[in-house]
Amino acid sequence: MTPAVQSPTVLRGVGVGRRGVVGPVAQVRPAPHVAADAPLLVDGVPADAATAHTRVEQAFTDVAVGLRDQAGRASGTVADVLAATAQMADDRALRAQVLAKVDAGEPVVSAVDGVVTMFATMFERAGGYLAERVTDLRSVRDRVVARVLDLPAPGVPELTEPSVVVARDLAPADTAALDLRHVLAIVTELGGPTGHTAIIAGQLGLPCVVRVSGVTDLADGTVVAVDAADGTVTTDPDDEQRAALVARAEVERTLAADTAPGGTSDGHLVALLANIGTAEDAERVGPTAVEGVGLFRTEVLFLERTTAPTVEEQTEVYERTLRALGDRKVVVRTLDAGADKPLAFATQPDEENPALGVRGFRLVRTNPDLIDTQLAALAAAQQATGARPWVMAPMIATPAEARDFAARARAQGLAQVGVMVEVPAAALRAREILAEVDFVSLGTNDLAQYAMATDRLRGELADLLDPWQPAVLDLVAATARAGLELGKPVGVCGESASDPVLALVLVGLGVTSLSMSAGAVPAVRYALRHHTAEQCRAMADAALVAGAAPEARAAVVALLHSSVRSTLGL
């Protein structure tokens, strides 16, 4: 066992959320370390190629079945990603290439690892959604190798007390296997704030810190303080730090008790909405104090399928979502897939740079039925429920694209039509785009990625993707200014909306609604409630004139009401 790290030690990473906890470390079991040329033994005798073929094929099947069983016991996003990982274990191309190598006499471990490495390299080069799937792919590899060689399956150990789960990286299948009665937080050495682990941790309400170098060197049982707000993991925390985390938890409970509509202290209303990905998510946030849904990511319905979902299948999901929210606003984003989120039924071949390829609304160029069918299903759900969903298209770059989408949506009887602003060209021409639609919503994650020419999955470039980057704020300001001039709503549904300090800046720029994970709403509501609209505008001005992201945030924090700084621990 690795010796315990001497205290005090502070390890730094990227935090997801604002919560903090203290508890003992429970390290996830690593993947089996087996030599690539290790023979497969059956009753102590090396297996022949035919036996190896059978064992490998059965191992893939068993892993897929096990993952699907876990998916069946899970719900929401957890179930979706488990099903997606099971689909990967079932992938014909992956399995066929491994079996071909085994049939040719290559050792089993070498065959599995070689093919998975090839696929992983392809996914990483593709970037985006595929890059996020590499962890799942490697999890399938490790499970298959362990199954073939009759080794213990890698993953989370049995937890007997509330613990901080630590891993080099954590696959969704491992996350879903957690006994939540005994999980305090999740910490990983790899990963990113937009990866599956972070998404699931957010759904489960667990503090999460990713990209924490050295955390896997901690011994099991080492007591740590996990602070998602600061992005730190501290070994053997002192009484002062423990007390601070307890006090923060009490503050969060107090803030959550406030259910009033979002707005500034002088009555300027700002809708506080939730981001969701499934109908189950809608049913979960329905009873909470959110004013609606500002982003319904519908691509979960489409991914990992061999055929597109039918109008009836989609209508049922949209109906459930609309009924869960009652008369509250629901903004539905049409399919954001293609290229880096490949669809088996609409794959674009040979795209060298998928992030700049045929994705989002651009799919209408090659497969217009996908968009038209989805709009028809939304119209059917509207008719069935009496609710009036807002609908918006992703990856809009020109006024002509906005006009095309608006015409298609309105032809189906959908009245509130908008588009996403996540391409700098759309922000720069926001006035012309808003002339074609009823509203826009800023996707600040992709907007930062495209503005800064930086892959948002590259952890070493995280500083360039900071939403406080003045250049990104300039694009937000240009869009919000166009909305104010034309009297049309401009929302933000990227992660920047969940930062209570940045939320004040966004409101000061003219943003009219903020959409985030439901758990982030109370702190944002509180920050707004303690500042006037004029103070928000002053904060926005201070951020825009800053020379760099840290300076922008520091300038705004300096302008915060003292009680807000104290309550939020700033």
Side-chain angles (χ1 to χ4, degrees), residues 359-440:
R359 57 170 296 196
F361 183 66
R362 297 173 182 182
L363 283 170
V364 78
R365 298 168 181 248
T366 57
N367 203 329
D369 287 346
L370 284 176
I371 302 299
D372 293 338
T373 298
Q374 187 171 24
L375 293 173
L378 282 165
Q382 174 180 266
Q383 184 174 8
T385 62
R388 297 177 67 83
W390 295 39
V391 59
M392 63 182 179
M395 285 298 289
I396 294 292
T398 68
E401 289 178 332
R403 186 183 313 121
D404 183 10
F405 175 71
R408 291 172 183 272
R410 289 172 179 148
Q412 295 285 355
L414 298 166
Q416 293 294 325
V417 183
V419 300
M420 293 283 291
V421 174
E422 49 199 339
V423 177
L428 294 171
R429 304 294 289 179
R431 175 190 291 275
E432 289 76 11
I433 285 177
L434 272 167
E436 305 292 344
V437 295
D438 305 305
F439 71 97
V440 296

Side-chain angles (χ1 to χ4, degrees), residues 8-173:
T9 300
V10 179
L11 305 177
R12 301 189 180 278
V14 179
V16 181
R18 290 185 44 79
R19 294 186 58 205
V21 296
V22 176
V25 164
Q27 291 281 356
V28 173
R29 288 192 297 269
H33 294 289
V34 183
D37 59 354
L40 171 61
L41 302 178
V42 179
D43 296 328
V45 178
D48 57 26
T51 301
H53 180 114
T54 300
R55 291 281 292 269
V56 170
E57 188 165 32
Q58 187 62 48
F60 270 103
T61 299
D62 291 345
V63 168
V65 169
L67 289 166
R68 280 196 296 271
D69 287 345
Q70 285 183 291
R73 294 190 295 270
S75 63
T77 304
V78 173
D80 294 329
V81 295
L82 279 169
T85 308
Q87 186 74 22
M88 186 168 286
D90 264 336
D91 185 83
R92 293 181 180 179
L94 177 66
R95 187 180 302 200
Q97 292 193 40
V98 171
L99 292 174
K101 287 178 174 287
V102 171
D103 292 343
E106 186 169 337
V108 168
V109 177
S110 175
V112 175
D113 191 59
V115 173
V116 167
T117 298
M118 178 187 69
F119 273 71
T121 300
M122 291 168 54
F123 286 7
E124 288 170 341
R125 288 176 178 171
Y129 176 77
L130 279 180
E132 293 179 8
R133 298 300 307 280
V134 168
T135 297
D136 306 339
L137 182 62
R138 289 173 177 154
S139 174
V140 169
R141 173 198 61 193
D142 297 340
R143 289 166 182 269
V144 167
V145 169
R147 189 81 179 182
V148 170
L149 301 181
D150 289 326
L151 298 172
V156 182
E158 182 178 0
L159 301 177
T160 58
E161 63 178 326
S163 304
V164 174
V165 175
V166 174
R168 180 168 171 78
D169 208 349
L170 199 60

Side-chain angles (χ1 to χ4, degrees), residues 232-570:
T232 58
V233 177
T234 305
T235 64
D236 297 310
D238 57 24
D239 291 342
E240 182 179 356
Q241 185 172 14
R242 290 170 181 260
L245 293 178
V246 170
R248 186 194 302 170
E250 183 57 37
V251 167
E252 290 177 354
R253 283 191 289 271
T254 301
L255 297 183
D258 183 357
T259 60
T264 60
S265 61
D266 55 344
H268 175 72
L269 294 179
V270 181
L272 301 181
L273 311 168
N275 293 341
I276 64 171
T278 65
E280 290 82 4
D281 290 343
E283 291 163 350
R284 187 163 37 253
V285 304
T288 67
V290 299
E291 296 170 64
V293 166
L295 173 63
F296 178 14
R297 304 178 178 97
T298 60
E299 52 268 20
V300 173
L301 287 166
F302 294 79
L303 297 173
E304 306 302 334
R305 294 179 57 116
T306 56
T307 59
T310 64
V311 170
E312 293 75 20
E313 288 175 313
Q314 293 187 57
T315 300
E316 188 272 334
V317 172
Y318 304 147
E319 280 189 33
R320 284 178 60 192
T321 300
L322 293 174
R323 293 188 195 282
L325 274 300
D327 59 357
R328 284 173 285 179
K329 177 179 179 179
V330 177
V331 182
V332 181
R333 183 177 70 187
T334 57
L335 179 60
D336 186 15
D340 64 329
K341 298 177 185 177
L343 301 175
F345 43 88
T347 299
Q348 300 302 307
D350 303 324
E351 282 194 317
E352 294 185 1
N353 195 336
L356 304 180
V358 182
R359 57 170 296 196
F361 183 66
R362 297 173 182 182
L363 283 170
V364 78
R365 298 168 181 248
T366 57
N367 203 329
D369 287 346
L370 284 176
I371 302 299
D372 293 338
T373 298
Q374 187 171 24
L375 293 173
L378 282 165
Q382 174 180 266
Q383 184 174 8
T385 62
R388 297 177 67 83
W390 295 39
V391 59
M392 63 182 179
M395 285 298 289
I396 294 292
T398 68
E401 289 178 332
R403 186 183 313 121
D404 183 10
F405 175 71
R408 291 172 183 272
R410 289 172 179 148
Q412 295 285 355
L414 298 166
Q416 293 294 325
V417 183
V419 300
M420 293 283 291
V421 174
E422 49 199 339
V423 177
L428 294 171
R429 304 294 289 179
R431 175 190 291 275
E432 289 76 11
I433 285 177
L434 272 167
E436 305 292 344
V437 295
D438 305 305
F439 71 97
V440 296
S441 186
L442 287 143
T444 51
N445 298 345
D446 270 335
L447 185 63
Q449 173 176 244
Y450 291 125
M452 305 303 292
T454 304
D455 186 339
R456 69 188 201 187
L457 297 179
R458 302 299 302 182
E460 64 269 32
L461 300 177
D463 60 306
L464 295 176
L465 292 172
D466 191 325
W468 285 91
Q469 283 287 353
V472 178
L473 293 178
D474 282 341
L475 294 171
V476 174
T479 305
R481 187 163 52 247
L484 289 171
E485 292 173 357
L486 296 179
K488 294 185 177 182
V490 174
V492 169
C493 59
E495 286 305 310
S496 60
S498 65
D499 178 346
V501 182
L502 187 49
L504 297 170
V505 171
L506 297 174
V507 171
L509 293 174
V511 168
T512 57
S513 66
L514 300 168
S515 191
M516 64 204 82
S517 62
V521 169
V524 172
R525 179 189 286 116
Y526 176 81
L528 286 172
R529 184 75 54 79
H530 287 76
H531 296 89
T532 66
E534 181 58 36
Q535 287 174 317
C536 290
R537 286 190 286 271
M539 293 176 186
D541 290 341
L544 289 174
V545 299
E551 296 170 17
R553 191 176 194 280
V556 174
V557 169
L559 296 175
L560 289 177
H561 192 286
S562 59
S563 64
V564 173
R565 285 201 300 271
S566 175
T567 299
L568 298 182
L570 300 170

